[in-house]
């Protein structure tokens, strides 16, 4: 390759795509041309990236020609079809969808945790994890490197923007419907107020929490819960790690949170956990309840790192730790992680 | 005792007191006189119970004379001072506050789980657990009786009414402040909109979740988290049970939820867990995700039982189970459990 690599953002018109364009405009610029691709529906739209108005093109093999790295921020089925075509044409694909996360020939990468894995890509595809895994894996990965993870129990508090603009619109509409009322004290009154406006969710979210995200899998598990387990194991290289998760949607626009119970091989203290987290790349330790310091979604939205607070040693297990983590599901949870992977590949191609 | 016992509701003018008066009007009537007591501030107020307008009296030793059973629904310090005085005068006290839950001479009772414990009361006081423990203990107790509980990991989703009317008012005010806006996508915008209107909470709750409830205890734990552990151990009679909890406040008016990871002595299957839960008194099994059946706070508010859904066997442990439970923190979580204890004592006194 001569000169800087050409990048394509596939899905540039989507929710994650919009954050990707912001990030590309903010980060040190490592790219030559940047092409913006989407469906034929939005071809011709103009979007700004690096301060330059750029016309969106329809995703075609022609449009992918000469692209060195393509970041796919599109639905699973679109990625499943197009990523291999792009790879066959010589493009390295970074896929933000769920299409390839479980593929044994596709590395699943979180640069702070397993950057090295991105260098071996038999299919010329690298996958980025799901947003719930990404909300906790940077902190958990740093602790694993130091203390040796042996078990993980996760309960999530997931924001609606993980269901795209439709999710955000549904929560905003519902919030307006329940505001200035005495709702929330009688059975069914929130459901009646929200009516059909549940959007992509199986129950109202305003003044409510809903213990479901993703699609139904075997034995009552959701795809999101299974994903946290499979992805954590793959990223940490711990194929048999016991991981259990319960995923719950909450009325938050953006930023996922998780309550994490972790058991390690070694004994652990809050002091040593603090030391590890305070120096881990991509992590902000924000843990002083006496001063009201613990992360909340409203405070971390729009920021890059994984925020960690409420660090406690499990009272009945000297090898156990409790944490509460928060991270922006559109930044580190989606666009940022894909951008970081793409930038590492750019550095490798330019080297 | 001749005739039906006399009941006093101490704290009749409070949030839990109001629910207690409803419950007394709905349940089979086992009482003779019902006296309503509160602070001198509200003495003279008239409230309806069993369809009868009743004047609230100030709490005094005189007012407690002749009372057989007194249910205390008042702040901890008021209960700590007055419950022993009432007991000294021959009244059996059912205390809904936190003042006596940890007292080894005071039984901590959940009638579906350990009704027998209410019969031994060296101090003539019986305590009712905190609302977060009560949101899960009926379901967990039924599973323990069948499979032998060995470990519990809890993450809570707590409603604001557990902080009284002040908590409800704060959430309603905040919801109005963020409704009809594009808030929730930029750092700090929810905090700016909510301003000083955080009420009794350490951070805004509208479009947010806050990983804190209760007062600060040692090593970063909250009183609520420590309470779940101590109360669960005491109610189940498992003094060394490993219990770990992370308590999180969510923007829900009423009904607490919890994600529960439980490990048992015996192997367990979803089928056997379903059988146990479906027949357990005080539990409603609502678990069919394919049909969208799982409990949410908006659906269970105002009802008596503990609702259980999302029952799954832990994938990496045949003795582990995951559940999501919901219960009304003002009914079973407070007034109802105290009423049930008082009614059992009434039956005992009348026998
Ligand atoms: N939101 C999150 O928190 C999150 C986190 C991690 C991963 N992800 C994943 O990221 C991906 C994008 O999510 P999103 O929330 O940004 O979705 P979105 O807002 O619906 O955007 C979808 C994007 O895909 C494009 N697209 C759809 N069909 C296409 C086709 N046939 N050919 C080319 N482009 C097509 C759309 O283009 P048009 O505008 O032309 O339709 C749009 O740019 C999904 O796989 C999602 O699962 C999301
Ligand atoms: N809310 C829940 O989910 C929940 C759950 C479990 C347990 N609890 C416990 O139940 C108790 C009551 O909670 P709440 O939410 O109902 O509180 P609340 O609404 O503030 O009511 C407090 C009650 O206590 C009375 N009171 C205060 N000081 C008094 C005094 N010096 N002498 C006599 N009465 C006095 C008040 O009477 P005035 O109206 O005269 O001031 C009022 O009736 C608390 O201990 C709470 O921790 C609450």
């Amino acid at each position: 390759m001569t000169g800087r690599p050409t990048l394509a953002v596939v899905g540039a018109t989507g929710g994650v795509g919009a954050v990707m364009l912001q990030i590309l405009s903010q980060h040190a610029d490592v790219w030559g041309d940047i092409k913006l691709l989407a469906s034929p529906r939005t071809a011709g739209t103009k979007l700004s990236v690096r301060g330059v108005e750029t016309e969106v093109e329809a995703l075609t093999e022609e449009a992918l020609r000469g692209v060195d790295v393509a970041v796919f921020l599109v639905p699973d089925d679109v990625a499943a079809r197009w990523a291999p075509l792009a790879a066959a044409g010589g493009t390295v694909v970074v896929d933000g969808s769920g299409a390839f996360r479980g593929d044994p020939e596709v590395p699943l990468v979180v640069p702070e945790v397993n950057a090295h894995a991105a260098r071996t890509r038999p299919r010329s595809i690298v996958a980025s994890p799901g947003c719930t895994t990404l909300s906790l894996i940077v902190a958990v990965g740093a602790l694993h490197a130091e203390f040796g993870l042996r078990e993980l129990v996760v309960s999530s508090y997931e924001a609606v923007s993980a269901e795209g603009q439709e999710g955000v619109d549904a929560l905003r509409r519902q919030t307006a419907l329940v505001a200035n009322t005495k709702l929330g004290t009688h059975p069914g009154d929130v459901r009646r107020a929200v009516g059909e406006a549940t959007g992509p969710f199986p129950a109202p979210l305003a003044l409510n929490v809903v213990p479901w995200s993703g699609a139904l899998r075997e034995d009552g598990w959701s795809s999101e819960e299974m994903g946290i387990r499979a992805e954590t194991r793959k990223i940490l290289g711990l194929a048999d790690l016991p991981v259990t998760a319960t995923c719950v949607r909450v009325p938050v626009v953006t930023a996922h949170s998780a309550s994490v119970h972790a058991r390690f091989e070694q004994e652990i203290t809050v002091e040593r956990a603090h030391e590890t987290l305070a120096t881990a790349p991509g992590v902000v330790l924000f843990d002083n309840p006496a001063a009201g310091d613990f992360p909340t979604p409203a405070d971390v939205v729009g920021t890059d790192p994984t925020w960690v607070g409420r660090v406690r040693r499990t009272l009945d297990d000297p090898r156990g730790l409790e944490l509460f983590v928060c991270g922006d599901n559109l930044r580190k949870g989606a666009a940022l992680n894909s951008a970081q992977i793409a930038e590492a590949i750019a550095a490798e191609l330019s080297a």
Side-chain angles (χ1 to χ4, degrees), chain A residues 160-333:
Chain A
V160 298
S161 62
E163 292 293 324
Q165 193 56 42
E166 209 198 335
V168 176
D169 292 342
L171 177 59
R172 292 218 165 107
R173 177 118 191 267
Q174 293 176 23
T175 304
L177 287 168
V178 302
N180 304 307
T181 67
K182 297 266 174 200
L183 297 178
T185 29
H186 293 291
D189 64 1
V190 167
R191 255 191 210 270
R192 272 190 299 276
V194 166
E196 304 293 296
T198 53
F201 308 112
L205 267 168
L207 302 182
N208 206 17
V209 303
V210 178
W212 190 262
S213 87
L216 184 59
R217 292 283 178 267
E218 269 177 52
D219 300 323
W221 291 91
S222 75
S223 55
E224 193 81 5
E225 291 158 351
M226 298 298 282
I228 292 173
R229 178 163 171 264
E231 294 169 23
T232 300
R233 288 172 160 193
K234 185 168 175 178
I235 296 160
L236 299 181
L238 298 170
D240 302 316
L241 183 72
V243 179
T244 193
T246 295
C247 287
V248 180
R249 187 83 57 189
V250 295
V252 163
V253 176
T254 295
H256 283 358
S257 309
S259 161
V260 176
H261 167 74
R263 198 166 46 75
F264 296 91
E265 190 182 3
Q266 292 183 35
E267 289 205 8
I268 193 164
T269 61
V270 169
E271 293 64 34
R272 290 201 56 205
H274 272 180
E275 263 171 48
T276 301
L277 292 165
T279 53
V283 172
V284 174
L285 178 67
F286 190 55
D287 187 19
N288 183 3
D293 289 354
F294 31 70
T296 81
D299 292 321
V300 318
V301 59
T303 70
D304 284 347
T306 302
W307 294 68
V308 186
R310 301 302 324 282
V311 180
R312 290 148 292 152
R313 186 159 85 168
T314 310
L315 287 164
D316 304 307
D317 182 354
R319 296 169 307 162
L321 204 68
E322 318 297 319
L323 326 165
F324 187 80
V325 297
C326 274
D328 187 313
N329 53 298
L330 299 179
R331 293 186 73 91
K332 185 61 185 178

Side-chain angles (χ1 to χ4, degrees), chain A residues 10-17 37-43 59 72-76 78 82 96-98 101 129-131 134 161-165 256 329-330 333-334:
Chain A
V10 186
T13 54
V16 179
L37 307 180
S39 83
R41 293 181 291 276
T42 52
L59 172 60
F72 275 67
L73 308 169
V74 296
D76 290 9
V78 179
W82 281 94
S97 86
R101 288 175 195 149
C131 47
L134 278 168
S161 62
E163 292 293 324
Q165 193 56 42
H256 283 358
N329 53 298
L330 299 179

